[in-house]
Amino acid sequence: MVKLDIINGFLGAGKTTLINKLLKEGLADENPVLIENEFGTVSIDHELISADVEVKLLASGCICCSMKGDFISGIVSVVEKFHPGRIIIEPTGLANLEDVIAACRKAGEQVPLRINSVITVVNAHNFLALMKVGGPFFRKQAEQACFALVSCTQLYTEDTIVSAVETFRAINRTCPVLTEEWAKLDALQILGMAEEAWVRYGESVNLTDGHAQAFRHEQHSHHENSEHHEHDEQHEHNHHEHHQAENYTSEAFFPSRCYSGRELEDILISLQNEDYGNIFRAKGFFRMEDGSFELLEYVYGSGTHTPCNYKGIAKVVVIGKNLRETLRNLFEDVQGNG
Protein backbone atom coordinates (compact mmCIF):
# COMPACT_ATOMS: atom_id res chain seq x y z
CA MET A 1 0.00 0.00 0.00
CA VAL A 2 1.45 3.35 -1.05
CA LYS A 3 1.23 6.09 1.56
CA LEU A 4 0.18 9.51 0.30
CA ASP A 5 0.85 12.77 2.14
CA ILE A 6 -0.77 16.04 1.04
CA ILE A 7 1.17 19.19 1.92
CA ASN A 8 -1.12 22.11 1.22
CA GLY A 9 -1.33 25.67 2.45
CA PHE A 10 -1.50 29.31 1.62
CA LEU A 11 0.58 31.09 -1.00
CA GLY A 12 4.16 31.40 0.26
CA ALA A 13 3.46 29.49 3.47
CA GLY A 14 6.57 27.29 3.29
CA LYS A 15 5.27 24.05 1.78
CA THR A 16 8.44 23.39 -0.24
CA THR A 17 10.62 24.00 2.82
CA LEU A 18 8.62 21.43 4.78
CA ILE A 19 8.84 18.91 1.94
CA ASN A 20 12.62 19.30 1.81
CA LYS A 21 12.74 18.65 5.56
CA LEU A 22 10.57 15.55 5.26
CA LEU A 23 12.59 14.14 2.37
CA LYS A 24 15.92 14.83 4.06
CA GLU A 25 15.13 13.66 7.57
CA GLY A 26 12.61 10.89 7.29
CA LEU A 27 11.47 9.65 3.91
CA ALA A 28 14.55 9.14 1.75
CA ASP A 29 14.46 5.34 2.14
CA GLU A 30 10.83 5.00 1.00
CA ASN A 31 11.43 5.61 -2.71
CA PRO A 32 9.30 8.76 -2.51
CA VAL A 33 7.80 10.56 -5.50
CA LEU A 34 6.80 14.21 -5.30
CA ILE A 35 3.79 15.42 -7.30
CA GLU A 36 3.71 19.17 -7.87
CA ASN A 37 0.59 21.06 -8.90
CA GLU A 38 1.13 24.69 -9.92
CA PHE A 39 -1.35 27.46 -10.58
CA GLY A 40 -0.48 28.17 -14.21
CA THR A 41 1.67 26.22 -16.62
CA VAL A 42 5.12 27.14 -15.27
CA SER A 43 6.65 25.48 -12.23
CA ILE A 44 9.10 27.13 -9.85
CA ASP A 45 8.86 25.06 -6.68
CA HIS A 46 10.17 21.80 -8.15
CA GLU A 47 13.48 23.58 -8.85
CA LEU A 48 13.83 24.15 -5.09
CA ILE A 49 13.62 20.50 -4.06
CA SER A 50 17.05 19.63 -2.70
CA ALA A 51 16.61 15.86 -2.40
CA ASP A 52 17.34 13.34 -5.15
CA VAL A 53 13.73 12.39 -5.77
CA GLU A 54 11.41 11.82 -8.68
CA VAL A 55 9.27 14.90 -9.34
CA LYS A 56 6.11 14.76 -11.44
CA LEU A 57 4.31 17.94 -12.51
CA LEU A 58 0.57 17.44 -12.92
CA ALA A 59 -2.55 19.38 -13.88
CA SER A 60 -1.67 23.05 -14.01
CA GLY A 61 -4.16 25.18 -12.16
CA CYS A 62 -6.51 24.30 -9.34
CA ILE A 63 -7.69 20.70 -9.29
CA CYS A 64 -11.25 21.58 -10.22
CA CYS A 65 -13.75 19.36 -11.99
CA SER A 66 -12.31 20.03 -15.45
CA MET A 67 -8.82 18.91 -14.40
CA LYS A 68 -9.57 16.25 -11.81
CA GLY A 69 -9.53 13.40 -14.36
CA ASP A 70 -6.01 14.21 -15.53
CA PHE A 71 -4.85 14.56 -11.94
CA ILE A 72 -6.29 11.19 -10.95
CA SER A 73 -4.76 9.43 -13.96
CA GLY A 74 -1.46 11.15 -13.19
CA ILE A 75 -1.41 9.76 -9.65
CA VAL A 76 -2.25 6.29 -10.95
CA SER A 77 0.53 6.57 -13.52
CA VAL A 78 3.05 7.54 -10.83
CA VAL A 79 2.17 4.44 -8.76
CA GLU A 80 2.38 2.12 -11.76
CA LYS A 81 5.59 3.60 -13.20
CA PHE A 82 7.69 4.32 -10.11
CA HIS A 83 6.29 1.88 -7.50
CA PRO A 84 6.96 4.35 -4.68
CA GLY A 85 6.61 3.60 -1.01
CA ARG A 86 5.26 7.10 -0.50
CA ILE A 87 3.86 9.92 -2.60
CA ILE A 88 3.95 13.54 -1.47
CA ILE A 89 1.54 15.92 -3.19
CA GLU A 90 2.17 19.67 -3.07
CA PRO A 91 -0.92 21.41 -4.46
CA THR A 92 -0.83 25.02 -5.57
CA GLY A 93 -1.54 27.54 -2.84
CA LEU A 94 -4.81 28.23 -4.66
CA ALA A 95 -6.02 24.63 -4.62
CA ASN A 96 -9.27 23.53 -3.02
CA LEU A 97 -8.25 20.86 -0.50
CA GLU A 98 -11.48 18.89 -0.81
CA ASP A 99 -10.85 18.55 -4.57
CA VAL A 100 -7.33 17.26 -3.93
CA ILE A 101 -8.52 14.74 -1.36
CA ALA A 102 -11.39 13.59 -3.60
CA ALA A 103 -8.95 13.05 -6.48
CA CYS A 104 -6.58 11.06 -4.27
CA ARG A 105 -9.41 8.88 -3.02
CA LYS A 106 -10.52 8.20 -6.58
CA ALA A 107 -6.96 7.23 -7.52
CA GLY A 108 -6.96 4.88 -4.53
CA GLU A 109 -9.83 2.99 -6.12
CA GLN A 110 -7.56 2.07 -9.04
CA VAL A 111 -4.19 1.42 -7.36
CA PRO A 112 -3.13 0.39 -3.82
CA LEU A 113 -2.94 3.88 -2.35
CA ARG A 114 -4.20 5.52 0.83
CA ILE A 115 -4.04 9.03 2.25
CA ASN A 116 -1.62 8.98 5.15
CA SER A 117 -1.72 12.63 6.28
CA VAL A 118 -2.85 16.09 5.28
CA ILE A 119 -0.75 19.02 6.50
CA THR A 120 -1.78 22.65 6.04
CA VAL A 121 1.22 24.99 6.30
CA VAL A 122 0.51 28.47 7.67
CA ASN A 123 2.98 31.35 7.77
CA ALA A 124 2.10 33.47 10.80
CA HIS A 125 2.88 36.81 9.17
CA ASN A 126 1.65 36.10 5.64
CA PHE A 127 -1.48 34.35 6.86
CA LEU A 128 -2.73 37.49 8.55
CA ALA A 129 -1.96 39.61 5.50
CA LEU A 130 -3.58 37.21 3.04
CA MET A 131 -6.68 36.77 5.17
CA LYS A 132 -7.27 40.50 4.93
CA VAL A 133 -7.28 40.54 1.14
CA GLY A 134 -8.04 36.98 0.05
CA GLY A 135 -11.67 36.88 1.07
CA PRO A 136 -13.68 33.62 1.25
CA PHE A 137 -11.10 31.58 -0.66
CA PHE A 138 -8.37 31.74 1.98
CA ARG A 139 -10.92 31.37 4.75
CA LYS A 140 -12.03 28.14 3.12
CA GLN A 141 -8.45 26.84 3.17
CA ALA A 142 -8.38 27.35 6.93
CA GLU A 143 -11.79 25.70 7.32
CA GLN A 144 -10.62 22.60 5.46
CA ALA A 145 -7.45 22.01 7.49
CA CYS A 146 -7.21 18.99 9.79
CA PHE A 147 -3.60 19.57 10.94
CA ALA A 148 -1.98 23.01 10.75
CA LEU A 149 1.75 23.61 10.94
CA VAL A 150 2.87 27.21 11.51
CA SER A 151 6.07 28.09 9.65
CA CYS A 152 8.87 30.57 10.35
CA THR A 153 7.87 31.02 13.98
CA GLN A 154 11.48 31.86 14.81
CA LEU A 155 11.21 35.01 12.67
CA TYR A 156 8.19 36.61 14.30
CA THR A 157 7.19 37.88 17.72
CA GLU A 158 5.04 35.87 20.06
CA ASP A 159 2.25 38.41 19.60
CA THR A 160 2.25 37.82 15.83
CA ILE A 161 2.11 34.06 16.27
CA VAL A 162 -0.66 34.26 18.87
CA SER A 163 -2.64 36.61 16.65
CA ALA A 164 -2.31 34.25 13.68
CA VAL A 165 -3.38 31.22 15.72
CA GLU A 166 -6.33 33.10 17.20
CA THR A 167 -7.44 34.15 13.72
CA PHE A 168 -7.09 30.56 12.52
CA ARG A 169 -8.96 29.24 15.56
CA ALA A 170 -11.84 31.62 14.94
CA ILE A 171 -12.32 29.84 11.60
CA ASN A 172 -11.42 26.27 12.57
CA ARG A 173 -11.53 25.63 16.30
CA THR A 174 -10.81 21.88 16.33
CA CYS A 175 -7.84 21.51 13.99
CA PRO A 176 -4.59 20.81 15.89
CA VAL A 177 -2.13 23.69 15.38
CA LEU A 178 1.62 23.17 15.86
CA THR A 179 3.61 26.36 16.46
CA GLU A 180 6.92 24.92 17.64
CA GLU A 181 9.96 25.93 15.60
CA TRP A 182 10.57 23.35 12.86
CA ALA A 183 14.31 23.12 13.52
CA LYS A 184 13.52 21.73 16.97
CA LEU A 185 11.34 18.97 15.55
CA ASP A 186 12.26 15.79 13.74
CA ALA A 187 10.44 15.30 10.44
CA LEU A 188 9.00 11.99 11.64
CA GLN A 189 7.59 13.73 14.72
CA ILE A 190 5.69 16.11 12.47
CA LEU A 191 4.45 13.28 10.28
CA GLY A 192 3.37 11.27 13.30
CA MET A 193 1.25 14.12 14.62
CA ALA A 194 -0.21 14.74 11.17
CA GLU A 195 -1.06 11.05 10.75
CA GLU A 196 -2.85 11.00 14.11
CA ALA A 197 -4.79 14.13 13.18
CA TRP A 198 -5.84 12.62 9.84
CA VAL A 199 -7.18 9.50 11.55
CA ARG A 200 -8.98 11.63 14.12
CA TYR A 201 -10.33 14.44 11.95
CA GLY A 202 -9.91 13.30 8.37
CA GLU A 203 -10.74 9.67 7.71
CA SER A 204 -13.76 9.84 10.00
CA VAL A 205 -15.21 12.80 8.09
CA ASN A 206 -16.42 12.93 4.50
CA LEU A 207 -14.42 15.92 3.31
CA THR A 208 -16.38 16.20 0.10
CA ASP A 209 -19.71 16.63 1.89
CA GLY A 210 -19.90 19.40 4.46
CA HIS A 211 -16.52 18.59 5.99
CA ALA A 212 -15.81 22.12 7.14
CA GLN A 213 -18.89 22.20 9.34
CA ALA A 214 -18.07 18.73 10.67
CA PHE A 215 -14.55 19.85 11.61
CA ARG A 216 -15.74 22.99 13.33
CA HIS A 217 -18.33 21.13 15.41
CA GLU A 218 -16.24 18.06 16.22
CA GLN A 219 -16.02 17.61 19.98
CA HIS A 220 -12.55 16.09 20.26
CA SER A 221 -10.35 17.71 22.89
CA HIS A 222 -7.44 18.16 20.51
CA HIS A 223 -8.53 21.12 18.95
CA GLU A 224 15.47 15.24 -10.91
CA ASN A 225 16.09 12.63 -11.07
CA SER A 226 13.02 14.73 -11.94
CA GLU A 227 10.46 14.37 -14.66
CA HIS A 228 9.94 17.96 -15.71
CA HIS A 229 7.00 18.88 -17.88
CA GLU A 230 6.87 22.63 -18.30
CA HIS A 231 4.88 24.15 -21.11
CA ASP A 232 6.58 26.48 -23.58
CA GLU A 233 9.69 27.14 -21.52
CA GLN A 234 11.97 26.38 -24.44
CA HIS A 235 10.60 29.26 -26.49
CA GLU A 236 13.16 31.90 -27.31
CA HIS A 237 10.78 34.81 -26.82
CA ASN A 238 9.29 35.97 -23.57
CA HIS A 239 5.60 35.39 -23.12
CA HIS A 240 3.01 35.10 -20.41
CA GLU A 241 -0.08 33.01 -19.91
CA HIS A 242 -3.27 33.61 -17.98
CA HIS A 243 -5.27 31.19 -15.91
CA GLN A 244 -8.37 32.11 -13.99
CA ALA A 245 -9.69 30.52 -10.81
CA GLU A 246 -11.65 32.40 -8.17
CA ASN A 247 -10.64 35.62 -9.99
CA TYR A 248 -6.93 34.97 -9.42
CA THR A 249 -4.64 35.30 -12.42
CA SER A 250 -1.26 33.69 -13.04
CA GLU A 251 1.26 35.24 -15.40
CA ALA A 252 4.60 33.73 -16.35
CA PHE A 253 7.58 35.60 -17.80
CA PHE A 254 11.01 34.54 -19.04
CA PRO A 255 13.34 37.55 -18.73
CA SER A 256 16.24 37.48 -21.17
CA ARG A 257 18.21 40.37 -19.70
CA CYS A 258 20.31 40.53 -16.54
CA TYR A 259 19.35 42.34 -13.36
CA SER A 260 21.14 44.13 -10.55
CA GLY A 261 20.41 43.69 -6.88
CA ARG A 262 18.99 47.22 -6.82
CA GLU A 263 16.56 46.36 -9.61
CA LEU A 264 15.27 43.35 -7.67
CA GLU A 265 14.77 45.60 -4.65
CA ASP A 266 12.82 48.01 -6.85
CA ILE A 267 10.67 45.16 -8.15
CA LEU A 268 9.77 44.14 -4.60
CA ILE A 269 8.85 47.72 -3.75
CA SER A 270 6.69 48.00 -6.89
CA LEU A 271 4.87 44.78 -6.02
CA GLN A 272 4.29 45.94 -2.47
CA ASN A 273 2.99 49.32 -3.66
CA GLU A 274 0.58 47.53 -6.02
CA ASP A 275 1.98 49.45 -9.00
CA TYR A 276 1.07 46.50 -11.23
CA GLY A 277 -2.08 45.22 -9.57
CA ASN A 278 -2.96 43.32 -6.41
CA ILE A 279 -0.04 40.88 -6.24
CA PHE A 280 -0.40 38.00 -3.79
CA ARG A 281 2.60 35.95 -4.85
CA ALA A 282 5.66 36.33 -7.07
CA LYS A 283 8.46 33.82 -7.33
CA GLY A 284 11.22 33.29 -9.82
CA PHE A 285 14.84 33.01 -10.85
CA PHE A 286 16.61 36.11 -12.18
CA ARG A 287 19.96 36.15 -13.97
CA MET A 288 22.23 38.70 -12.35
CA GLU A 289 24.84 40.91 -13.99
CA ASP A 290 27.66 38.54 -13.02
CA GLY A 291 25.89 35.55 -14.61
CA SER A 292 24.68 34.02 -11.35
CA PHE A 293 21.03 33.62 -10.37
CA GLU A 294 18.98 34.95 -7.49
CA LEU A 295 15.66 33.63 -6.24
CA LEU A 296 13.04 36.33 -5.73
CA GLU A 297 10.13 35.48 -3.45
CA TYR A 298 7.27 37.84 -2.66
CA VAL A 299 4.15 37.18 -0.63
CA TYR A 300 1.60 39.91 -0.16
CA GLY A 301 3.33 42.77 1.64
CA SER A 302 6.94 41.54 1.82
CA GLY A 303 9.65 39.79 -0.16
CA THR A 304 13.28 38.81 -0.47
CA HIS A 305 15.87 37.98 -3.11
CA THR A 306 18.74 35.61 -2.36
CA PRO A 307 21.58 33.95 -4.31
CA CYS A 308 20.85 30.39 -5.42
CA ASN A 309 22.43 27.53 -7.38
CA TYR A 310 19.81 27.51 -10.13
CA LYS A 311 21.22 26.81 -13.63
CA GLY A 312 18.19 26.88 -15.94
CA ILE A 313 16.42 29.63 -17.83
CA ALA A 314 15.30 32.79 -16.07
CA LYS A 315 11.61 32.68 -15.19
CA VAL A 316 9.14 34.26 -12.81
CA VAL A 317 5.50 33.54 -11.96
CA VAL A 318 3.16 36.22 -10.60
CA ILE A 319 -0.23 35.49 -9.02
CA GLY A 320 -2.79 38.11 -8.10
CA LYS A 321 -5.91 40.01 -9.04
CA ASN A 322 -6.34 42.85 -11.51
CA LEU A 323 -2.82 42.37 -12.87
CA ARG A 324 -1.91 45.17 -15.25
CA GLU A 325 -0.51 44.80 -18.73
CA THR A 326 2.47 46.96 -17.71
CA LEU A 327 3.62 44.14 -15.44
CA ARG A 328 5.63 42.86 -18.40
CA ASN A 329 7.81 45.98 -18.13
CA LEU A 330 9.46 44.47 -15.07
CA PHE A 331 10.48 41.29 -16.82
CA GLU A 332 10.88 41.97 -20.53
CA ASP A 333 13.42 43.98 -22.49
CA VAL A 334 11.65 47.30 -22.38
CA GLN A 335 13.73 50.41 -23.01
CA GLY A 336 14.21 52.46 -19.88
CA ASN A 337 13.26 49.61 -17.55
CA GLY A 338 16.78 49.22 -16.23
Side-chain angles (χ1 to χ4, degrees), residues 11 130 133 138 248 278-282 298-300 319-321:
L11 293 167
L130 288 170
V133 299
F138 291 122
Y248 298 95
N278 197 351
I279 312 292
F280 292 161
R281 182 71 163 133
Y298 173 85
V299 179
Y300 188 79
I319 299 172
K321 288 185 176 181

Side-chain angles (χ1 to χ4, degrees), residues 29 52 87 164 175 178 185 190 205 247 249 253 269 294 309:
D29 295 333
D52 184 17
I87 294 174
C175 169
L178 182 63
L185 295 172
I190 296 173
V205 178
N247 297 319
T249 302
F253 299 90
I269 292 172
E294 290 204 7
N309 295 323

Side-chain angles (χ1 to χ4, degrees), residues 63-248:
I63 308 169
C64 59
C65 295
S66 62
M67 297 181 181
K68 196 177 294 182
D70 289 341
F71 192 78
I72 293 169
S73 63
I75 296 173
V76 172
S77 176
V78 164
V79 173
E80 293 176 341
K81 179 177 180 179
F82 298 109
H83 307 288
R86 186 183 298 261
I87 294 174
I88 298 175
I89 294 182
E90 181 183 6
T92 167
L94 293 173
N96 187 335
L97 180 58
E98 64 183 352
D99 286 341
V100 179
I101 291 174
C104 293
R105 285 177 166 166
K106 283 291 186 182
E109 296 174 2
Q110 301 179 44
V111 289
L113 171 78
R114 68 172 176 84
I115 298 174
N116 182 64
S117 69
V118 178
I119 301 175
T120 298
V121 185
V122 178
N123 181 294
H125 175 71
N126 294 335
F127 171 69
L128 293 173
L130 288 170
M131 285 299 295
K132 292 178 181 178
V133 299
F137 182 84
F138 291 122
R139 180 183 178 89
K140 188 173 184 180
Q141 282 197 341
E143 286 180 341
Q144 293 174 340
C146 60
F147 177 76
L149 183 62
V150 182
S151 65
C152 301
T153 53
Q154 74 278 11
L155 302 179
Y156 304 119
T157 65
E158 184 67 23
D159 287 345
T160 298
I161 297 169
V162 169
S163 180
V165 173
E166 287 178 347
T167 302
F168 186 92
R169 280 270 180 247
I171 300 169
N172 184 331
R173 64 183 177 84
T174 58
C175 169
V177 180
L178 182 63
T179 60
E180 191 168 349
E181 183 180 343
W182 292 6
K184 298 178 180 179
L185 295 172
D186 181 84
L188 294 182
Q189 285 180 282
I190 296 173
L191 267 182
M193 288 182 279
E195 289 166 0
E196 180 182 351
W198 174 247
V199 171
R200 185 184 297 269
Y201 299 107
E203 292 187 340
S204 62
V205 178
N206 182 359
L207 290 181
T208 63
D209 182 20
H211 64 281
Q213 290 75 17
F215 280 166
R216 293 168 66 185
H217 293 91
E218 185 68 43
Q219 295 303 311
H220 292 291
S221 59
H222 292 280
H223 294 253
E224 213 168 18
N225 298 338
S226 300
E227 182 175 340
H228 296 169
H229 180 59
E230 298 198 0
H231 301 268
D232 299 326
E233 284 204 16
Q234 303 306 316
H235 286 191
E236 246 179 65
H237 302 290
N238 295 331
H239 66 285
H240 63 275
E241 300 181 357
H242 302 268
H243 295 270
Q244 197 71 25
E246 301 280 349
N247 297 319
Y248 298 95

